[in-house]
Amino acid sequence: MKWRVNVTVRLKEGLNDPEGRVIGKALRNLGYAVENLRVPKYFEFELESESPEEEVEEMCRRLLANPLIHSWEYRIEPVS
Amino acid sequence: MKWRVNVTVRLKEGLNDPEGRVIGKALRNLGYAVENLRVPKYFEFELESESPEEEVEEMCRRLLANPLIHSWEYRIEPVS
């Protein structure tokens, strides 16, 4: 069966996000009252699988994220 | 008023996403039946604003995206 998947990979609480800090500062310099800007990694893909949750969890651990520094969440929905 | 915002910035249809292609290939090499993997840019932040939709749209045009090659969508919800 085929699924549409998206995965969001965030740095764990308390870890620095230098890219986010720079972008947040640039937006404030343009006059926007932005705070706590973060730039998670975000992946979208289709997956052919009989056990999509298990496979996506495994993909995160093996390749998409680093369990030491990241947390992740995903959304999986059937492709109609 | 304060808002929690996320913005997803995607390459327009038909434009190459080299990072996505490499990650998709790596996942297939690990045995996952992944297709059409894309890596949109994704931003999360808080915004103090009286006209958040207008400001976020403007931020996309001015800094977060390049209107020539990107499309974008955002979600804006009040911070409780």
Side-chain angles (χ1 to χ4, degrees), chain A residues 21-55:
Chain A
R21 216 164 44 196
V22 169
I23 296 171
K25 195 174 167 193
L27 286 170
R28 283 191 293 279
N29 287 343
L30 289 173
Y32 304 106
V34 163
E35 270 172 42
N36 297 323
L37 191 141
R38 313 281 284 181
V39 189
K41 291 296 281 181
Y42 185 67
F43 307 92
E44 294 176 329
F45 53 91
E46 283 136 45
L47 176 66
E48 177 72 46
S49 171
E50 296 312 312
S51 49
E53 278 213 31
E54 199 179 317
E55 286 200 5

Side-chain angles (χ1 to χ4, degrees), chain B residues 12-62:
Chain B
K12 285 185 179 170
E13 202 63 45
L15 290 178
N16 252 332
D17 178 351
E19 186 182 1
R21 217 166 42 195
V22 168
I23 296 171
K25 195 174 169 193
L27 286 170
R28 283 190 293 279
N29 287 343
L30 288 172
Y32 304 106
V34 162
E35 270 171 43
N36 297 323
L37 191 142
R38 313 280 286 181
V39 189
K41 292 295 283 181
Y42 185 67
F43 307 92
E44 293 176 329
F45 54 91
E46 281 136 47
L47 176 66
E48 178 73 44
S49 172
E50 297 312 311
S51 49
E53 278 214 29
E54 199 178 319
E55 286 199 4
V56 170
E57 184 67 31
E58 208 178 71
M59 280 183 226
C60 289
R61 294 191 177 279
R62 293 178 75 185

